[in-house]
Amino acid sequence: MADKKIIAVVGATGTQGGGLVRAILGDSSGGFAVRALTRDPDSEKAQELASLGAELVKADLDSGPSLMAAFDGAYGAFCVTFFFEHFVPEKEQVQAAAMAKAAKQRGLKHVVWSTYEDTRKFVPLDDERMPTLMEKYKVPQFDAKAEANRAFAQFGVQVTYMLTSFYWENLIYMGMGPRKGADGKLELTLPMGDKRLAGIAAEDIGRSAFCIFKAGFDLLGKTVGVAGDHVTGAQMAAALAKELGQEVAYNPLTPEEYRRLGSPGADVFGNMFQVMQEFESEFCAARNLDSARALNPSLQTFGGWLSKNKDRIPLT
């Protein structure tokens, strides 16, 4: 490891960070080593990474000193926050600032920050076409990360801003997979109308981050969008039907109808889908598929991801 550049990976046991850890460990000639940051080094997921060759370091985004120690001696870091652990946008901003400060003080040469657009640039707070949430956000999980971009700039961090996309894994973990309707047939409910959704396999985010590190300083200060596919809800339903071997109808609720579902996060996701639907061109253009594949040729399409993960999608 002494002759390799160390990448400190925040959230190493998560999907984004885990994808990066495995990408680094799978590239023995790449000149990089991985330091996996985790709150619980004794967890099963952390120990699995250790068995693959990762250096484990205990660190907490709420503890500046632990981040300082974790970044010490590293060449670069992958930084990410986790909105759906707490639903507190301001917490994300504090954590991002702590990472930015630690990165600067430890002299990191390259940081990749996983972020999104500020949706209030598309839909101002006084725009009543969608509700304002938590008093000052339209899509909190997007807007907070976009605000946190400033921390990396203000601390003078050598950073690449990576715009991520809708995770295909939301069909597995966030209750967005097909559900049985009143007639017993499966329905995929997405408030996207006939517009395309820019999406990605979560592990491909980490793999794309590795490609950014390998690209070197050419991408410092730049914003890089990543997506594996642009697909409509109808196309997703057709792909699901093909892989599951049964009919899957597309149920294109309006965003307002989606917000009224009352499920956890329905308002947050309803607003998110509405912005991505109404500003489809801008969101897809920021995640140009040709550019994304030029960076990372192994990006999975929705169909490719689905063929490997169909058995993991709960059908309720």
Side-chain angles (χ1 to χ4, degrees), residues 87-140:
F87 285 82
V88 182
E90 292 77 13
K91 185 180 179 73
E92 288 202 296
Q93 294 172 33
V94 171
Q95 291 175 338
M99 288 186 283
K101 181 179 180 180
K104 181 62 176 180
Q105 293 194 0
R106 288 297 179 257
L108 268 58
K109 302 299 184 185
H110 196 170
V111 169
V112 176
W113 161 236
S114 179
T115 188
Y116 286 112
E117 296 92 338
D118 190 329
T119 64
R120 295 165 296 186
K121 294 180 178 178
F122 300 104
V123 186
L125 291 181
D126 60 359
D127 190 321
E128 296 183 355
R129 75 183 106 169
M130 69 176 65
T132 293
L133 304 178
M134 303 177 189
E135 299 184 354
K136 56 182 180 180
Y137 303 102
K138 287 300 185 181
V139 182

Side-chain angles (χ1 to χ4, degrees), residues 20-288:
L20 174 55
V21 169
R22 287 175 170 81
I24 296 173
L25 294 175
D27 186 19
S28 59
S29 61
F32 292 93
V34 64
R35 180 178 294 164
L37 278 56
T38 175
R39 286 173 296 187
D40 183 8
D42 295 323
S43 70
E44 183 178 343
K45 288 184 177 180
Q47 288 301 307
E48 179 183 348
L49 296 180
S51 70
L52 295 174
E55 173 194 4
L56 295 183
V57 173
K58 186 174 183 178
D60 191 320
L61 294 187
D62 296 318
S63 169
S66 74
L67 287 172
M68 292 286 187
F71 286 177
D72 191 34
Y75 162 84
F78 175 72
C79 294
V80 62
T81 51
F82 312 99
F83 176 81
F84 292 105
E85 283 189 352
H86 46 71
F87 285 82
V88 182
E90 292 77 13
K91 185 180 179 73
E92 288 202 296
Q93 294 172 33
V94 171
Q95 291 175 338
M99 288 186 283
K101 181 179 180 180
K104 181 62 176 180
Q105 293 194 0
R106 288 297 179 257
L108 268 58
K109 302 299 184 185
H110 196 170
V111 169
V112 176
W113 161 236
S114 179
T115 188
Y116 286 112
E117 296 92 338
D118 190 329
T119 64
R120 295 165 296 186
K121 294 180 178 178
F122 300 104
V123 186
L125 291 181
D126 60 359
D127 190 321
E128 296 183 355
R129 75 183 106 169
M130 69 176 65
T132 293
L133 304 178
M134 303 177 189
E135 299 184 354
K136 56 182 180 180
Y137 303 102
K138 287 300 185 181
V139 182
Q141 71 272 30
F142 281 38
D143 301 343
K145 287 181 173 64
E147 281 192 30
N149 291 355
R150 292 199 297 266
F152 291 91
Q154 289 169 352
F155 279 104
V157 177
Q158 299 195 112
V159 61
T160 300
Y161 304 95
M162 183 171 65
L163 292 178
T164 60
S165 298
F166 177 86
Y167 300 176
W168 305 135
E169 283 79 6
N170 285 331
L171 274 63
I172 300 173
Y173 301 116
M174 302 300 288
M176 296 185 187
R179 295 190 175 191
K180 292 181 180 178
D183 59 0
K185 295 182 179 180
L186 292 173
E187 293 181 343
L188 176 68
T189 299
L190 287 177
M192 285 296 295
D194 61 355
K195 301 300 184 181
R196 295 168 301 154
L197 178 66
I200 193 168
E203 64 180 351
D204 282 351
I205 298 174
R207 291 171 178 167
S208 297
F210 185 42
C211 293
I212 292 173
F213 283 119
K214 290 194 294 183
F217 298 149
D218 289 346
L219 295 177
L220 286 179
K222 296 183 179 180
T223 298
V224 177
V226 293
D229 215 344
H230 298 161
V231 287
T232 64
Q235 289 171 332
M236 292 176 69
L240 284 159
K242 177 181 177 181
E243 291 294 341
L244 297 174
Q246 57 181 301
E247 181 181 350
V248 179
Y250 174 43
N251 180 23
L253 293 183
T254 67
E256 181 56 36
E257 290 171 332
Y258 195 89
R259 285 188 285 267
R260 289 201 299 262
L261 289 176
S263 54
D267 54 351
V268 168
F269 284 116
N271 279 16
M272 179 194 76
F273 284 120
Q274 184 171 349
V275 171
M276 291 194 295
Q277 178 196 118
E278 294 187 10
F279 300 93
E280 171 212 36
S281 295
E282 291 86 346
F283 269 75
C284 288
R287 296 156 177 83
N288 179 276

